[in-house]
Amino acid sequence: MNTIVPAAPPLTSGSSRNFRVAMLAPGALVTFVLILFALGLVLFLGFRVNDGSLTGAGFTFGNFVIVLTDPLYVTVAIRSLVIAGLVTLATVVTAYPVAYYLAFHAGRHRGLLLFLVTLPFWTSYLLRVFAWKIVLAYNGVLNSALLATGVLSEPSLAFLNTPAAVVLTLAHAYAPFAILPIYVALETIPKSLREAASDLGARPAYTFRKVILPMSMPGVLAGALVVFVPTVGDYVTPAMVGGPASTMIGSMIQAQFGKANDWPFGAALSVSVMLLILAMLLIVRFADRKFGSRT
C-alpha cells in the first residue's frame, strides 16, 4: 500500500526573500569585507606617502612612478613573469599526458589515480619546498646519486639557488592545479566524436590534433591561469631554493611590508602586480574565446 506524503506548504514571498538573503549573506560578507575592502585598502595605501604611520599621509603618484621607472623593479617584474611563464609551461606540458591517461585509459583505477594526484594537498606547501631543497642541496639526494653512479667526481652547486630550481619546485607544487581542470575538460569530450573520427579513417595523432586538443583548450587555459597567477607573486620558494638571482616581485613586496616598513610602496608594488595579472587574464580570456570555450 502506497503512503501518501503531504505536499510541502508553498513558500510565501517573505520567507522566500529571507531564505535568499540568508544564503547570500555569507558570500556577500566574504566578498565585500575580506576581499573588496582589502583590495580597496591596498589601492588606497598605494597613493599614500610613507610617514611611518599605519595609513601614511597625503596623496602621491610617486610610488607608482618609482615602480615604473626604477630598473630594479622593472627587472624583477620581468623576471617574475618569465619564471611564472616557464613554471606554467612546464606544469601544463607535464600535466596534460597525466590528465589524458586519467580521462581515457585509467579504467577502473581512475579513482585511485585521482586520489594519488591530490595526495600532495595533504601535506604542507612548505614541506614540499623543503623536500626539494633536500634533493637539490650540495650534499643532497641528487648529488649523492650522481656521485655514486660516477657521473660527477664532486658535488655540484648548480642544482640549488638557481632559477631552474625555482621553476622545478613550483612546477611540482602546482602540478595538481593543472591536472584537474585539464582532466575535467578531457572527460567532458563526447566519446562519439572520437569514434566518428576513427570511423572516418583518422589516425590517433590526427584525431588528437583536430578534435581532442582544441576541445580541451578551455581546461588547458584554466589550468595555466590557476598556476600562473599564484606563482607570479610567490616569495617562499625563491627565498628557499632560488638564491639572489631568483628574487621575484613577491619577495620585494614582502620586504617593503617587513624590514623596510614602507607599506605605501609595498601596496603600490602589489597593485602593479595585480594589473599585470589582470592583463594576463584578459589575454587568456581572448584566447579562450578564440578556441571556443565550452564553459
Side-chain angles (χ1 to χ4, degrees), residues 24-36:
L24 293 174
L29 185 67
V30 170
T31 301
F32 286 101
V33 176
L34 300 182
I35 298 178
L36 294 182

Side-chain angles (χ1 to χ4, degrees), residues 84-165:
L86 291 175
V87 171
T88 304
L89 179 64
T91 307
V92 170
V93 168
T94 54
Y96 198 98
V98 177
Y100 186 91
Y101 181 83
L102 285 171
F104 300 132
H105 301 290
R108 60 188 179 89
H109 301 296
R110 182 177 302 163
L112 175 62
L113 294 175
L114 281 172
F115 168 75
L116 293 177
V117 167
T118 60
L119 201 58
F121 291 140
W122 292 38
T123 61
S124 166
Y125 173 77
L126 205 56
L127 288 178
R128 280 177 275 162
V129 178
F130 264 121
W132 275 109
K133 190 170 186 176
I134 294 172
V135 172
L136 301 174
Y138 182 77
N139 294 319
V141 177
L142 182 58
N143 266 320
S144 300
L146 293 177
L147 287 173
T149 55
V151 177
L152 294 179
S153 58
E154 60 182 15
S156 174
L157 294 171
F159 302 131
L160 193 62
N161 297 327
T162 62

Side-chain angles (χ1 to χ4, degrees), residues 30-274:
V30 170
T31 301
F32 286 101
V33 176
L34 300 182
I35 298 178
L36 294 182
F37 176 74
L39 291 176
L41 184 59
V42 170
L43 183 62
F44 171 76
L45 280 176
F47 290 100
R48 302 288 281 178
V49 178
N50 182 33
D51 64 346
S53 64
L54 184 62
T55 57
F59 285 92
T60 180
F61 290 97
N63 295 326
F64 291 97
V65 172
I66 295 174
V67 172
L68 295 176
T69 58
D70 192 316
L72 171 64
Y73 299 109
V74 174
T75 302
V76 173
I78 293 174
R79 181 191 299 154
S80 302
L81 291 176
V82 171
I83 289 178
L86 291 175
V87 171
T88 304
L89 179 64
T91 307
V92 170
V93 168
T94 54
Y96 198 98
V98 177
Y100 186 91
Y101 181 83
L102 285 171
F104 300 132
H105 301 290
R108 60 188 179 89
H109 301 296
R110 182 177 302 163
L112 175 62
L113 294 175
L114 281 172
F115 168 75
L116 293 177
V117 167
T118 60
L119 201 58
F121 291 140
W122 292 38
T123 61
S124 166
Y125 173 77
L126 205 56
L127 288 178
R128 280 177 275 162
V129 178
F130 264 121
W132 275 109
K133 190 170 186 176
I134 294 172
V135 172
L136 301 174
Y138 182 77
N139 294 319
V141 177
L142 182 58
N143 266 320
S144 300
L146 293 177
L147 287 173
T149 55
V151 177
L152 294 179
S153 58
E154 60 182 15
S156 174
L157 294 171
F159 302 131
L160 193 62
N161 297 327
T162 62
V166 177
V167 172
L168 179 63
T169 305
L170 287 174
H172 168 259
Y174 286 94
F177 293 98
I179 293 174
L180 295 178
I182 296 174
Y183 163 74
V184 172
L186 291 170
E187 179 69 16
T188 56
I189 297 176
K191 186 179 179 182
S192 58
L193 292 180
R194 290 183 288 130
E195 293 175 344
S198 178
D199 293 341
L200 292 173
R203 296 179 179 276
Y206 189 84
T207 302
F208 174 78
R209 186 163 56 88
K210 291 294 184 180
V211 178
I212 297 177
L213 184 59
M215 297 195 71
S216 64
M217 283 308 293
V220 173
L221 293 173
L225 198 61
V226 170
V227 173
F228 181 83
V229 170
T231 52
V232 170
D234 191 285
Y235 71 93
V236 174
T237 304
M240 295 183 64
V241 300
S246 306
T247 301
M248 295 174 67
I249 197 68
S251 303
M252 309 291 283
I253 294 173
Q254 190 273 338
Q256 295 301 322
F257 280 98
K259 295 179 181 178
N261 195 30
D262 191 349
W263 288 26
F265 188 68
L269 277 174
S270 303
V271 172
S272 302
V273 173
M274 285 189 282

